[in-house]
Amino acid sequence: GPPRARPAITPQRRRDAQARALLAITLRHPWLLQEVEESLGALDLSDGPLAQCRALVLAWLAAGHELDSAGLMDHLANGGMG
């Protein structure tokens, strides 16, 4: 069939893509959270899974946990993201 049209690039889609990229990187490399915390927190996300994941990640960082991927993944799973 004919190629499918790509969705339009909107500001919200761009912000969501930025959040997904930052979250994906920090899930595997949580020690980077201190470097991107401000940028991640400043992203204007609509309510939904991305905003929930960001809130859990930032809460985990604020609680002073050891910055390891397994601990962060457990925290997200316990917060309903699993």
Side-chain angles (χ1 to χ4, degrees):
R4 294 179 4 166
R6 292 183 126 168
I9 297 174
T10 64
Q12 187 61 53
R13 289 179 60 100
R14 189 181 74 247
R15 286 188 294 271
D16 288 352
Q18 289 171 333
R20 278 193 302 274
L22 279 174
L23 287 167
I25 291 166
T26 57
L27 291 178
R28 292 293 174 202
H29 308 285
W31 56 270
L32 289 170
L33 275 169
Q34 294 170 326
E35 301 295 325
V36 300
E37 176 184 13
E38 188 175 326
S39 297
L40 187 58
L43 288 174
D44 179 23
L45 301 177
S46 53
D47 289 338
L50 278 176
Q52 180 186 3
C53 185
R54 174 183 62 186
L56 288 167
V57 167
L58 293 177
W60 181 81
L61 178 64
H65 294 287
E66 182 179 342
L67 299 179
D68 73 291
S69 185
L72 177 54
M73 297 294 218
D74 287 345
H75 175 74
L76 292 175
N78 292 334
M81 298 298 300

